[in-house]
Amino acid sequence: MSRPRPILAGSIAASQDVSEDRVDPVRTATDELVSAVEAVPDDATLSQAVASLRDEAANVQASVSDLQTEATC
C-alpha cells in the first residue's frame, strides 16, 4: 500500500480540521442543552421545564441547520 504524498496528506488533514470546525457549534449547543436538562429542578412542572429548555433546543436546531447548509455548498 502506498503512502499519501505529503501535499495530499496535508490537504486531507486540513479538510478534517475544517470539518471539525463545522461540527464544533453543534457539539457546543448539544452540550449546553444537556447541561440545561440536568439543571432543571426536580420539582419543576412540565411547562417550566419546557420553557427553560426551549432556547437551548432552538440553538441545537439552528446549529444543525447551519451544518446542513454548509455541507450542501
Side-chain angles (χ1 to χ4, degrees):
M1 186 161 125
S2 65
R3 291 185 175 179
R5 289 182 268 159
I7 293 173
L8 179 59
S11 297
I12 291 171
S15 174
Q16 290 170 339
D17 289 344
V18 169
S19 296
E20 285 296 315
D21 289 345
R22 291 180 176 174
V23 173
D24 281 344
V26 175
R27 288 186 183 134
T28 299
T30 302
D31 290 345
E32 290 172 357
L33 177 60
V34 169
S35 293
V37 168
E38 292 171 351
V40 173
D42 291 338
D43 61 346
T45 66
L46 180 59
S47 297
Q48 290 169 330
V50 168
S52 70
L53 300 175
R54 188 170 283 127
D55 289 342
E56 284 80 5
N59 289 340
V60 171
Q61 186 175 17
S63 296
V64 170
S65 178
D66 290 347
L67 181 62
Q68 289 173 328
T69 300
E70 288 179 17
T72 57
C73 291

